[in-house]
């Protein structure tokens, strides 16, 4: 068999050539194959999945915060601090019986200037919010012998039939005069914002007197000089119609005991101290229908008032009363009044609104037992109180009623009695006077100024129109100030806690509160007192609802650092290992690729 041999051309390399190639290839710095990317892709896919999943993780722990009107809240707060509400008021003085000639057309303008200057002197310092001391107009009308002249500002604004006031008999009954003036002066005034308050000066030979009516006017009768009349008119304008007739010593601070939700609950309580002596009841439905409804309706723009009642038994007082032989009654000094209410026995807080944010005013009719009857309250000057009652600011009032059978021996089996309508009428007149005091008004019918002493007529509604105007203005100011303060506190709280949950309902309440506050400011600037009071009350109630929302009060909030410290032990180790593995794999891939490129460059160079 023939032997097959390779030709010289196909003979293998000589040994020295192979050794040279082995010496040229260094496995530490070279590799003959291209490095694979499977490990690199797998590692980076894990890293990318972590990067993509991080926003979803962040979204899952994100705190929802509805947008709040921080800038608008700050602007409202600054306006309330620097620029109080400016309620417009229009004051009109009518001079009747003062002689003037055809050449005295500037006399009314001179009187107007004098009244304005005198009013500025009565307004000392910064005028409190709720008054008309910084935004008012004055007009003067002079009427004599069916001729009338008006000041420049009074023309074409508040006109009435010339000579109508002169025809009124001011010597008649004050109530009749008041109604007659209302028919003459109570018309609408064109082109004026706000209410119009009038003082009529009747210069005639008659008994000197000054009366402040139950509408928006007053009148002064008697012989008076123009300078003296100007002084009296300016004082009535500023201290009565603008300030509401308030004096030093009345209730300060929160003048209106209205709850944060704009509600007042009048809780009337009939307390029988000892039912073993006698038991009294009342017809409260009749009381509410005929005596309380006018008061509730009158204060409607100021507060949402509800009325309730109850009768309690075995309710002794806590303080001690002593017998006065001269007065033939038991006497309770004013120093003992703070201890009169027996909190242990008087279960007064039974109202459904007592646990909420509504304000409950307790009005108590106390019927003493036979062993302390009659019971009278003694004033600091030693006189016996005619009303036989007292008030406790922001709490309510107490009236002590002594039955007619005080000096009779109690029956063995006490009979049921019902308080007569006549007695109820007197009792609730005292209660209405106490409500007037609780809201910051005078309980008597006398205004004593520096230049004038006036009698104030009472209204069957409990509040005159000018008193209600003053209450409405002051209540609007207080509510807007409370709204701005509450919203500012909420704004600072929310901005200080980035992890606080802000529900959509809170954002909606803040928005509605701001809208109501702006509406109240607009109505106040246009002199729409009732609408401004209602809007201001709504703004405060919404602001309080937003601040005390259950979602804010029920959750403990924590900072971002706390959140990071909670989640980092779970996710940081894994994330760190994934990142390190990706970096290590990328470094390895670059090194292996460099080896391959080095070997390939050597091969290309050798060929």
């Amino acid at each position: 068999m023939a032997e097959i041999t390779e030709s010289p051309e196909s003979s293998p390399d000589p040994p020295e050539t192979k050794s040279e190639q082995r010496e040229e290839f260094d496995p530490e710095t070279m590799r003959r194959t291209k490095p694979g990317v499977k490990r690199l892709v797998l590692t980076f896919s894990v890293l990318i999945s972590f990067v993509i999943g991080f926003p979803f993780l962040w979204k899952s722990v994100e705190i929802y915060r509805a947008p709040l009107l921080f800038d608008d809240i700050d602007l409202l707060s600054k306006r309330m601090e620097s620029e109080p509400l400016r309620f417009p008021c229009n004051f009109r003085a009518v001079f009747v019986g003062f002689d003037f000639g055809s050449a005295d057309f500037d006399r009314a303008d001179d009187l107007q200037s004098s009244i304005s200057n005198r009013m500025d002197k009565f307004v000392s310092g910064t005028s409190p919010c709720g008054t008309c001391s910084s935004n008012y107009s004055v007009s003067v009308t002079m009427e004599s012998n069916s001729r009338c002249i008006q000041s420049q500002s009074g023309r074409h604004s508040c006109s009435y039939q010339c000579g109508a006031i002169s025809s009124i008999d001011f010597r008649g009954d004050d109530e009749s005069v008041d109604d007659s003036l209302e028919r003459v002066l109570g018309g609408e005034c064109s082109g004026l914002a706000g209410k119009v308050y009038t003082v009529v000066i009747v210069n005639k030979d008659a008994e000197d007197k000054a009366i402040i009516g139950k509408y928006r006017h007053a009148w002064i009768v008697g012989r008076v000089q123009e300078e003296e009349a100007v002084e009296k008119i300016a004082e009535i304008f500023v201290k009565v119609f603008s300030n509401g007739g308030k004096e030093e010593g009345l209730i300060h601070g929160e003048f209106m005991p209205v709850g944060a939700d704009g509600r007042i609950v009048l809780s009337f309580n009939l307390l029988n101290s000892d039912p073993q002596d006698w038991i009294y009841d009342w017809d409260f439905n009749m009381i509410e229908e005929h005596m309380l409804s006018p008061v509730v309706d009158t204060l409607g723009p100021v507060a949402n008032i509800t009325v309730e009642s109850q009768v309690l038994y075995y309710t002794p007082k806590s303080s001690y009363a002593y017998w006065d032989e001269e007065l033939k009654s038991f006497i309770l000094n004013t120093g003992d009044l703070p201890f009169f209410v027996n909190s242990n026995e008087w279960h007064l807080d039974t109202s459904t609104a007592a646990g909420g944010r509504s304000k409950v005013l307790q009005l108590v009719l106390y019927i003493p037992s036979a062993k302390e009857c009659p019971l009278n309250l003694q004033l600091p000057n030693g006189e016996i109180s005619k009303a036989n009652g007292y008030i406790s600011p922001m709490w309510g009032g107490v009236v002590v009623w002594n039955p007619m059978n005080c000096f009779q021996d109690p029956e063995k089996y006490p009979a049921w009695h019902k308080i007569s309508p006549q007695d109820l009428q007197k009792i609730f007149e005292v209660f209405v006077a106490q409500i007037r005091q609780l809201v910051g008004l005078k309980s008597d019918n006398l205004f004593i100024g520096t230049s004038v002493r006036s009698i104030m007529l009472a209204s069957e509604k409990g509040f005159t129109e000018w008193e209600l105007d003053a209450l409405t203005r002051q209540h609007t100011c207080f509510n807007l100030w409370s709204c701005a303060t509450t919203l500012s506190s909420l704004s600072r709280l929310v901005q200080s806690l980035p992890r606080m949950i802000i529900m959509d309902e809170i954002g909606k309440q803040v928005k509605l509160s701001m809208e109501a506050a702006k509406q109240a400011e607009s109505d106040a600037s246009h002199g729409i007192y009732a609408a401004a009071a209602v809007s201001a009350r709504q703004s405060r109630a919404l602001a309080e609802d937003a601040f005390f929302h259950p979602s804010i009060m029920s959750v403990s909030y924590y900072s971002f650092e706390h959140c990071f410290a909670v989640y980092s032990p779970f996710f940081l180790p894994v994330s760190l290992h994934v990142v390190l593995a990706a970096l290590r794999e990328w470094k390895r891939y670059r090194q292996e690729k460099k080896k391959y490129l080095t070997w390939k460059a050597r091969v290309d160079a050798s060929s």
Side-chain angles (χ1 to χ4, degrees), residues 541-588:
L542 289 168
E544 294 283 341
D545 291 341
F547 190 84
F548 293 102
H549 195 272
S551 64
I552 293 180
M553 303 300 296
S554 61
V555 181
S556 297
Y557 302 103
Y558 45 87
S559 62
F560 173 78
E561 291 79 6
H562 179 79
C563 182
F564 179 79
V566 170
Y567 286 102
S568 59
F570 297 96
F571 296 99
L572 188 59
V574 178
S575 302
L576 184 61
H577 282 79
V578 170
V579 172
L580 292 178
L583 293 175
R584 187 168 53 251
E585 184 59 29
W586 173 249
K587 183 178 180 181
R588 185 200 66 79

Side-chain angles (χ1 to χ4, degrees), residues 28 75 85 101 209 262 295 370 429 449 476 534 550 561 595-596 599-600:
E28 297 294 333
L75 290 176
L85 290 181
K209 64 177 179 179
V295 177
E429 286 178 357
T476 301
V534 173
E561 291 79 6
K595 290 180 182 180
Y596 171 73
W599 175 81
K600 189 173 182 180

Side-chain angles (χ1 to χ4, degrees), residues 206-232:
E207 180 184 358
D208 293 342
K209 64 177 179 179
I211 307 296
I212 300 174
K214 57 180 177 291
Y215 300 104
R216 295 184 178 94
H217 51 253
W219 65 95
I220 301 174
V221 181
R223 283 297 175 187
V224 59
Q225 300 297 322
E226 288 186 0
E227 295 78 8
E228 183 182 356
V230 167
E231 182 80 12
K232 295 180 178 181

Side-chain angles (χ1 to χ4, degrees), residues 251 254-258 264-269 271 310 312 337-344 346-349 358-366 389-399 431 434-435 437-439:
I251 301 172
E254 186 178 350
F255 59 91
M256 191 69 183
V258 181
I264 299 178
V265 179
L266 298 179
S267 179
F268 291 89
N269 306 272
L271 273 56
Q310 64 177 347
L312 300 178
L337 294 182
F339 311 100
F340 187 86
V341 177
N342 190 344
S343 302
N344 296 327
W346 295 14
H347 303 291
L348 304 179
D349 295 329
S358 300
K359 182 62 181 178
V360 181
L361 289 181
Q362 306 290 349
L363 297 169
V364 177
L365 177 60
Y366 179 80
Y390 70 97
I391 66 167
S392 177
M394 303 303 295
W395 181 85
V398 177
V399 175
F431 277 140
Q434 290 182 344
I435 295 175
Q437 284 186 292
L438 289 172
V439 300

Side-chain angles (χ1 to χ4, degrees), residues 174-336:
D174 292 337
E175 295 286 345
S176 301
V177 174
D178 193 28
D179 295 334
S180 299
L181 284 175
E182 176 63 16
R183 286 191 293 269
V184 174
L185 303 172
E188 295 293 333
C189 296
S190 60
L192 292 179
K195 307 298 182 181
V196 179
Y197 304 94
T198 306
V199 175
V200 178
I201 302 290
V202 182
N203 188 22
K204 61 185 301 185
D205 291 328
E207 180 184 358
D208 293 342
K209 64 177 179 179
I211 307 296
I212 300 174
K214 57 180 177 291
Y215 300 104
R216 295 184 178 94
H217 51 253
W219 65 95
I220 301 174
V221 181
R223 283 297 175 187
V224 59
Q225 300 297 322
E226 288 186 0
E227 295 78 8
E228 183 182 356
V230 167
E231 182 80 12
K232 295 180 178 181
I233 291 172
E235 185 171 14
I236 292 177
F237 280 160
V238 173
K239 294 187 178 181
V240 177
F241 290 143
S242 179
N243 297 344
K246 293 187 177 181
E247 298 178 351
E248 296 294 334
L250 294 180
I251 301 172
H252 298 283
E254 186 178 350
F255 59 91
M256 191 69 183
V258 181
D261 57 354
R263 294 183 57 204
I264 299 178
V265 179
L266 298 179
S267 179
F268 291 89
N269 306 272
L270 174 59
L271 273 56
N272 289 276
S273 176
D274 191 351
Q276 295 182 357
D277 297 332
W278 41 62
I279 300 175
Y280 279 88
D281 199 359
W282 56 12
D283 186 0
F284 195 80
N285 292 330
M286 183 272 295
I287 297 171
E288 184 176 5
E289 181 178 356
H290 295 90
M291 302 180 187
L292 296 179
S293 293
V295 177
V296 173
D297 295 339
T298 301
L299 293 177
V302 176
N304 181 15
I305 300 178
T306 57
V307 178
E308 59 184 28
S309 67
Q310 64 177 347
V311 179
L312 300 178
Y313 306 96
Y314 295 102
T315 53
K317 59 181 178 58
S318 297
S319 57
Y320 171 76
Y322 65 92
W323 174 259
D324 189 301
E325 187 64 32
E326 181 179 355
L327 298 175
K328 299 297 182 181
S329 68
F330 288 90
I331 300 299
L332 188 65
N333 292 324
T334 55
D336 297 326

Side-chain angles (χ1 to χ4, degrees), residues 481-501:
W481 178 81
S482 298
C483 170
T485 303
T486 303
L487 291 180
S488 298
S489 300
L490 178 62
S491 175
R492 291 192 298 268
L493 177 65
V494 169
Q495 295 182 66
S496 65
L497 296 174
R499 302 290 296 176
M500 174 183 283
I501 300 174

